[in-house]
Amino acid sequence: MEAIVEKKYTYKDFESDQEVRWCPGCDDYVILRSMQKALPEMGVKKEEVVFVSGIGCSSRFPYYMNTYGMHSIHGRAPGIASGIKLANPKLSVWVMTGDGDAMAIGGNHFIHVLRRNIDLNIVLFNNEIYGLTKGQFSPTSVVGQKTKSSPYGNTQPPFNPGELALGANARFFARIGGNVPKDISQILVEAHKFKGTSLIEVLQNCVIFNDGCYNNITNKDVKEDKQIYLEHGKPMIFGKNRDKGLILNKLKLEVVTIGENGITEADILVHNAKEKDPTMHQMLVRLEYPVATGIIRSFDDVTLEEREDALTKQVKANSKFTKTNDLFFSGEIYMVN
Amino acid sequence: MITEKLKLQPEVLEAVVIRFVGDSGDGMQLTGTQFSDTSAMFGNDIATFPNYPSEIRAPQGSLYGVSGFQVHIGSVEVSTPGDNLDLLVAMNPAGLKTNLYALKPGHTIIVDTDAFNKKNLEKAQYDTNPLEDHSLDNYRVIQVDMTSLTKEALKNVEGLDNKAITRSKNMFALGMVYWMYGRAKEHTIDFFNKKFKTKPHLIESNTKVLNAGYYFAETLELIPNAYTISPAKMPSGTYRVIMGNTATAWGFLAAAEKSGLELFLGSYPITPATDILHEMVKHKHFGVKAFQAEDEIAGIASAIGAAFAGDLAITTTSGPGLALKGEALGLAMIMELPLVVVNVQRGGPSTGLPTKTEQSDLMQAMYGRNGESPVIVIAASTPANCFNFAFQAAKLALEHMTPVILLTDGYIANGSAPWKIQSMEELPEIKNNITKTAYENWQPYTRNEDTLARNWGIPGTPGLEHRIGGLEKDSVTGNVNQAPENHEKMTKIRAEKVKRVQNYIPEIKTEFADSGDLLVVGWGGTYGSLHSAVKQVNLEGYKNIGFAHFNYINPLPKNTEALFKRFKKILVCELNNGQFVNILRMNFNGFEFLQFNKIQGLPFGNNELLDEFKKLVK
């Protein structure tokens, strides 16, 4: 007999034969390659991975992955992915979505999938614009933003995806720039490991319709000063010189400089992503300066499949029915001769 | 206390129609169900028709708050809940007022006189008390102080408040009717014992009142036990009484076991389809995965996901829900996944008449999607055969790799009838198109040459990784292909696949006459009404009136046109404004399709059908 050899994948194993058709320079390429590189690290079999998407630029994603995949209809990917996962809990199921797909047309499914905590992973490509329909404002576009459907400026205030997700009781929320492939890969691996619904918001630049919308957060020369990359158990420190930090002042987070006004590293808050109470996580996702990135919340909770499975086992153990015939011929039956 | 306005002649009846009416909180559905179950176990054929308002508890005593339950029991085959009543049990004036029209002249009314007080008479818009003003002189009225007698019967039972006492008066009425029709009360007493296991005082009180009603009818000897209805001549076998929605759920349980697949239901509550969900959630012991989604769309979306992952996937709904599912159904159709959508039709459009029956979703089922989007459409026609058509819907979906819409309606879904239990051994085999192991050049859109069903490659299977979606696909690989010729080719393949189902479904058969002057055509839930009316018109001496009832709508049975040619006139009867008739007009040239339609949220009545048939053949 041949020895069973565990196949070691590389990113090439996850490339499909389809030509990638996003605009040149789009951050979607970065996310695609980060995913292809993350998958070998996850230790899942190729045939046990399913990508599900709705409609939009991001939703072309499944075609480019050499796994199982479904490019479904606008906003409904969370429902479809839930069905796939409940049908076969062994699968690693990924929802690839955008700000319009997840939070406009699919808003209802988005909050309910988070509430239920099925072990799915959702990657939200947030470019604050509608790309595929060529440039209308989205539910994350900022007030005043000039788009094809708001030529004088957008009047609709936006959602903050993290705030919405935590409000819907998301157990795992991460945010990451669209230009840092290694960090994206690492977060994808963590999301895969997490048991429950994981939501990863990628700040994704749209080079055509909303170019540069995250420049002052994600550009290489500013990102260390403008972002705080959170890691569980580590102090909330940021800045090129690692001298800035967050403290809690009354009910607000405040940026302080270590070494000034008697502040030492010991005064800086330590990030606890695993805390059940989402109050601090809510404050972090709402921060405008610095913008919180990394894994902001990662609270371990029972998943829907675990609950369903336990209940099914219990019902099976107590039931006198194993075959449908047992049911059909049970209770009040009578003979006609 | 009791008056008999007409003397009753003892009779032996073949069939009797009884209607129990009262306030929506009076327990009329329970009373009716108990009577019909008991009669079925006695060996009668039965058909029932619950008719209740859409308000859960409408204002007490009001005309629109009347809830009714009609049961037709017979020693002969009974295929409808009946048209005209032999007995009306009215628990209040509003019930009497709204139901008296249906009672045959000279037949019996039982009323609770205690409920005929000034307040209730006003609410029912009676100027004078009908029990006193001689307006009921043409009927046999049995006046019983039911509320007082119930209170009297319960005066020594502890732990009951006034409300609980009043609420059990329906059991007094049931006890009386049991005695009148020679029914045993044990079935109902067993029912109390089970239902109120943890509330022994309710077992005691309900049993006492039931007995009180029974013995009241017996000992006063004022109601002769004059009706005898012998057991019906039904095919031998083991039976149970089943409701249409339960039968639908059980059909899917059977299909899952037969096909060896796990069963998934994605659903959102909607009247009158919710009882299918209620039934399915009970069966975790069979591994049924029933998922109550956040809305209709997520209901079908989760089912599509489960179908992709290899389950037997179902979604259940009613008209407005089907409208919401339309886009997703188109997705399932273009991805060619097996999926059953059950639409328990109700009165439309929009919210329409949620608790009433109608057949007005046929066009929606056929065409309610964007683009060229044919799916298989089949319809159950009796409460019991909901089982068979649910099973068949699953079989067709799996064998032909396409969504199937199963149409039932509020009338058969809530109605109950004896079901000759079908064991798993009697049911046909269900094949599927799953590729178990990969082989060279496997492609998701390679097809079975006969059925045109595509390969079903399920996540988890090594080597079959593929992507599908809502964009037009290449005819072999399933990759996106929007080339003009490919789109035309794929559109035609998908249509041909559904058309070829004709080769796998039974031909349409006629009843009563195979050729002649008039063919009565129906489809779906009207079978019972149409069948009895055509039977009766033939018994009355009109010959050559045939009956063809369709369960397969898309595609139609192969011999449909040949059958139509054998009749001089064709009358299509539907509970809508003419939908099936237009499908027939589209498909078959050279016929004059006459139509008879009713759009009142109610089933056909026997008399209106007879009149129409006779008009056409005289």
Side-chain angles (χ1 to χ4, degrees):
Chain A
M1 254 174 73
E2 284 181 61
I4 297 162
V5 180
E6 185 82 3
K7 192 181 169 192
K8 185 73 188 159
Y9 296 115
T10 71
Y11 72 90
K12 284 188 185 301
D13 290 302
F14 292 98
E15 290 178 334
S16 81
D17 58 356
Q18 298 294 294
E19 194 187 339
V20 184
R21 295 189 182 186
W22 288 310
C23 307
C26 181
D27 275 354
D28 289 5
Y29 286 93
V30 180
I31 304 171
L32 177 64
R33 184 46 52 93
S34 305
M35 181 64 85
Q36 287 164 341
K37 288 193 167 172
L39 279 160
E41 305 301 312
M42 294 177 197
V44 283
K45 292 179 185 156
K46 196 166 75 168
E47 66 270 17
E48 290 182 348
V49 180
V50 186
F51 285 93
V52 187
S53 64
I55 295 293
C57 293
S58 60
S59 289
R60 290 291 182 115
F61 196 97
Y63 288 123
Y64 308 137
M65 298 297 299
N66 187 18
T67 64
Y68 285 91
M70 189 193 294
H71 177 211
S72 77
I73 45 176
H74 211 0
R76 318 304 172 201
I80 291 170
S82 299
I84 292 172
K85 185 71 182 182
L86 291 172
N88 184 356
K90 273 195 263 174
L91 300 172
S92 172
V93 184
W94 295 80
V95 173
M96 310 308 279
T97 186
D99 36 317
D101 193 56
M103 282 174 289
I105 195 165
N108 196 32
H109 312 306
F110 180 71
I111 55 176
H112 285 278
V113 74
L114 294 170
R115 165 177 77 87
R116 292 190 187 107
N117 202 34
I118 303 179
D119 188 15
L120 301 171
N121 312 289
I122 305 171
V123 184
L124 170 62
F125 298 39
N126 183 7
N127 57 12
E128 301 184 357
I129 194 80
Y130 284 173
L132 200 64
T133 50
K134 300 186 177 53
Q136 301 76 27
F137 64 85
S138 91
T140 55
S141 296
V142 295
V143 169
Q145 190 171 325
K146 287 187 178 164
T147 73
K148 289 251 184 74
S149 56
S150 58
Y152 305 110
N154 176 27
T155 54
Q156 301 185 9
F159 275 138
N160 173 333
E163 199 178 354
L164 178 64
L166 295 183
N169 199 10
R171 293 9 173 239
F172 183 106
F173 176 73
R175 185 193 281 146
I176 191 69
N179 58 346
V180 283
K182 280 188 183 155
D183 292 345
I184 297 173
S185 290
Q186 196 194 336
I187 285 179
L188 293 174
V189 172
E190 291 305 315
H192 168 78
K193 283 189 206 156
F194 182 78
K195 293 281 164 254
T197 308
S198 339
L199 175 65
I200 303 124
E201 178 195 6
V202 183
L203 306 177
Q204 174 242 325
N205 188 40
C206 170
V207 283
I208 306 296
F209 297 108
N210 200 14
D211 194 20
C213 69
Y214 296 120
N215 275 357
N216 60 353
I217 304 166
T218 58
N219 272 1
K220 278 196 179 127
D221 52 336
V222 299
K223 79 171 188 188
E224 284 168 39
D225 284 332
K226 296 292 178 63
Q227 287 181 37
I228 178 161
Y229 190 82
L230 295 163
E231 290 174 90
H232 175 71
K234 296 200 176 158
M236 298 184 190
I237 294 176
F238 68 107
K240 268 198 193 91
N241 307 319
R242 306 290 297 162
D243 62 345
K244 298 276 192 301
L246 294 177
I247 61 162
L248 197 59
N249 184 358
K250 292 184 180 151
L251 285 174
K252 285 195 166 168
L253 290 175
E254 186 182 312
V255 177
V256 292
T257 306
I258 298 165
E260 282 179 11
N261 302 322
I263 298 280
T264 68
E265 200 175 317
D267 298 315
I268 306 297
L269 290 166
V270 172
H271 183 46
N272 181 3
K274 296 180 185 300
E275 168 61 47
K276 181 181 182 182
D277 183 340
T279 310
M280 175 59 73
H281 304 145
Q282 274 285 12
M283 286 195 236
L284 287 165
V285 297
R286 281 202 292 260
L287 266 188
E288 288 173 19
Y289 165 72
V291 171
T293 55
I295 297 168
I296 296 167
R297 179 170 171 81
S298 174
F299 165 62
D300 288 311
D301 198 357
V302 186
T303 66
L304 182 75
E305 339 43 309
E306 285 168 347
R307 283 209 174 86
E308 287 286 333
D309 188 50
L311 211 53
T312 301
K313 280 185 181 134
Q314 188 191 328
V315 172
K316 276 186 175 173
N318 295 324
S319 171
K320 52 184 195 280
F321 300 139
T322 55
K323 294 279 179 195
T324 46
N325 270 352
D326 305 337
L327 169 69
F328 296 172
F329 291 93
S330 70
E332 288 163 358
I333 58 170
Y334 58 95
M335 297 292 295
V336 172
N337 295 315
Chain B
M1 186 165 65
I2 292 173
T3 59
E4 280 196 83
K5 300 225 168 148
L6 290 176
K7 278 280 168 224
L8 183 80
Q9 295 302 311
E11 16 181 359
V12 176
L13 300 173
E14 282 192 327
V16 158
V17 182
I18 302 171
R19 192 184 287 176
F20 299 91
V21 297
D23 248 348
S24 56
D26 273 347
M28 293 297 100
Q29 306 300 321
L30 174 71
T31 311
T33 310
Q34 282 300 311
F35 186 76
S36 54
D37 286 358
T38 297
S39 297
M41 299 189 72
F42 177 71
N44 292 134
D45 198 4
I46 61 155
T48 69
F49 179 49
N51 192 354
Y52 50 89
S54 55
E55 293 81 6
I56 298 297
R57 290 281 185 276
Q60 219 175 9
S62 67
L63 291 171
Y64 61 88
V66 172
S67 169
F69 192 100
Q70 184 165 322
V71 56
H72 190 178
I73 57 172
S75 57
V76 290
E77 182 193 0
V78 159
S79 50
T80 73
D83 230 8
N84 295 326
L85 310 176
D86 297 284
L87 172 63
L88 175 65
V89 179
M91 303 303 282
N92 68 2
L96 178 67
K97 182 148 195 181
T98 49
N99 290 278
L100 187 63
Y101 74 93
L103 186 66
K104 293 179 193 163
H107 283 70
T108 308
I109 308 167
I110 299 178
V111 290
D112 176 10
T113 45
D114 289 326
F116 281 68
N117 54 32
K118 190 161 175 280
K119 198 171 100 192
N120 283 342
L121 288 166
E122 270 169 21
K123 280 186 193 160
Q125 297 166 20
Y126 273 118
D127 295 329
T128 54
N129 188 344
L131 303 180
E132 293 161 2
D133 66 5
H134 299 282
S135 61
L136 302 176
D137 281 359
N138 287 331
Y139 305 95
R140 174 171 175 257
V141 183
I142 300 173
Q143 300 190 29
V144 188
D145 305 333
M146 243 182 265
T147 309
S148 320
L149 289 165
T150 301
K151 282 182 183 159
E152 181 65 23
L154 294 178
K155 68 180 177 194
N156 294 325
V157 183
E158 309 242 323
L160 294 172
D161 58 16
N162 206 28
K163 201 171 156 194
I165 292 171
T166 320
R167 274 173 65 178
S168 44
K169 68 179 181 221
N170 59 335
M171 288 302 123
F172 195 94
L174 183 64
M176 287 179 67
V177 180
Y178 274 168
W179 190 82
M180 287 176 73
Y181 293 96
R183 297 285 177 269
K185 27 185 200 6
E186 280 60 39
H187 166 78
T188 298
I189 294 169
D190 285 350
F191 167 82
F192 296 149
N193 287 328
K194 275 184 207 141
K195 185 174 167 78
F196 303 121
K197 214 184 222 168
T198 56
K199 295 169 184 159
H201 62 289
L202 290 180
I203 299 178
E204 189 192 350
S205 62
N206 279 290
T207 308
K208 270 203 161 154
V209 178
L210 182 75
N211 283 332
Y214 190 89
Y215 297 128
F216 175 82
E218 184 186 29
T219 53
L220 292 188
E221 289 183 357
L222 289 168
I223 308 162
N225 190 2
Y227 306 102
T228 54
I229 300 167
S230 350
K233 289 186 195 76
M234 298 204 287
S236 64
T238 309
Y239 282 78
R240 66 184 306 138
V241 177
I242 200 161
M243 264 179 64
N245 273 340
T246 309
T248 301
W250 287 16
F252 293 130
L253 295 179
E257 187 173 315
K258 203 78 187 181
S259 62
L261 300 178
E262 291 185 23
L263 184 58
F264 182 95
L265 171 72
S267 187
Y268 186 75
I270 183 168
T271 303
T274 318
D275 279 338
I276 305 175
L277 170 65
H278 292 166
E279 184 59 29
M280 294 275 242
V281 293
K282 289 181 197 163
H283 299 298
K284 272 187 165 13
H285 39 243
F286 300 135
V288 175
K289 291 167 267 189
F291 178 62
Q292 181 177 315
E294 61 272 25
D295 59 25
E296 294 281 355
I297 300 172
I300 187 172
S302 61
I304 289 172
F308 183 63
D311 278 2
L312 168 56
I314 315 290
T315 185
T316 51
T317 190
S318 184
L322 186 63
L324 286 164
K325 292 181 198 294
E327 187 197 15
L329 186 52
L331 175 72
M333 182 269 166
I334 196 173
M335 295 196 298
E336 302 188 44
L337 283 172
L339 172 73
V340 180
V341 182
V342 181
N343 177 2
V344 183
Q345 298 170 95
R346 65 190 217 185
S350 187
T351 311
L353 295 81
T355 60
K356 310 291 177 194
T357 198
E358 205 161 274
Q359 296 183 296
S360 50
D361 290 341
L362 181 59
M363 286 299 188
Q364 184 182 213
M366 290 288 291
Y367 306 113
R369 294 165 292 285
N370 60 308
E372 297 284 344
S373 195
V375 298
I376 297 173
V377 180
I378 67 176
S381 47
T382 67
N385 82 13
C386 285
F387 177 86
N388 302 77
F389 285 98
F391 184 90
Q392 179 71 343
K395 179 173 158 74
L396 290 172
L398 293 168
E399 294 184 350
H400 298 266
M401 289 295 281
T402 171
V404 176
I405 295 181
L406 169 63
L407 295 173
T408 70
D409 57 54
Y411 175 64
I412 58 172
N414 286 316
S416 50
W419 173 51
K420 186 166 174 282
I421 303 171
Q422 281 167 288
S423 67
M424 289 308 294
E425 296 72 34
E426 296 167 71
L427 293 166
E429 186 192 356
I430 297 181
K431 299 183 196 116
N432 62 51
N433 293 280
I434 295 172
T435 306
K436 290 217 172 85
T437 45
Y439 50 84
E440 208 174 337
N441 292 326
W442 180 89
Q443 294 291 353
Y445 278 75
T446 308
R447 292 170 191 280
N448 176 303
E449 284 180 7
D450 297 323
T451 60
L452 297 180
R454 74 170 184 89
N455 286 332
W456 194 10
I458 291 170
T461 318
L464 303 186
E465 295 84 5
H466 65 281
R467 278 68 58 194
I468 56 176
L471 288 168
E472 183 60 278
K473 2 199 123 302
D474 183 83
S475 64
V476 178
T477 61
N479 285 330
V480 178
N481 182 344
Q482 304 190 24
E485 304 74 23
N486 180 71
H487 176 50
E488 188 160 304
K489 182 180 174 186
M490 287 301 276
T491 301
K492 289 189 168 166
I493 288 175
R494 290 187 290 257
E496 174 67 14
K497 184 179 69 174
V498 171
K499 184 148 193 294
R500 283 197 192 178
V501 172
Q502 274 193 331
N503 300 331
Y504 302 87
I505 59 173
E507 294 202 331
I508 180 91
K509 290 193 178 75
T510 50
E511 295 184 68
F512 307 112
D514 194 38
S515 63
D517 299 329
L518 176 64
L519 178 68
V520 175
V521 170
W523 68 274
T526 51
Y527 176 83
S529 337
L530 296 173
H531 181 267
S532 5
V534 181
K535 185 177 174 183
Q536 190 173 335
V537 81
N538 278 286
L539 284 173
E540 287 181 17
Y542 293 84
K543 293 296 168 202
N544 303 325
I545 300 184
F547 174 47
H549 198 81
F550 287 78
N551 294 106
Y552 295 90
I553 313 281
N554 195 36
L556 287 161
K558 261 185 179 171
N559 64 327
T560 305
E561 185 163 15
L563 169 69
F564 288 163
K565 283 183 175 159
R566 300 201 294 270
F567 286 87
K568 287 183 195 145
K569 285 181 181 172
I570 300 167
L571 176 68
V572 183
C573 306
E574 303 175 74
L575 298 175
N576 57 37
N577 207 15
Q579 300 195 6
F580 188 53
V581 72
N582 278 316
I583 291 173
L584 295 177
R585 284 174 187 143
M586 255 170 52
N587 279 278
F588 305 111
N589 291 322
F591 297 95
E592 190 196 351
F593 291 103
L594 305 170
Q595 56 189 90
F596 184 62
N597 303 98
K598 180 173 181 177
I599 321 153
Q600 301 175 8
L602 291 168
F604 284 123
N606 205 39
N607 295 340
E608 60 194 0
L609 291 170
L610 289 174
D611 291 348
E612 187 69 17
F613 301 163
K614 289 173 188 172
K615 216 163 63 188
L616 292 173
V617 291
K618 69 173 176 206

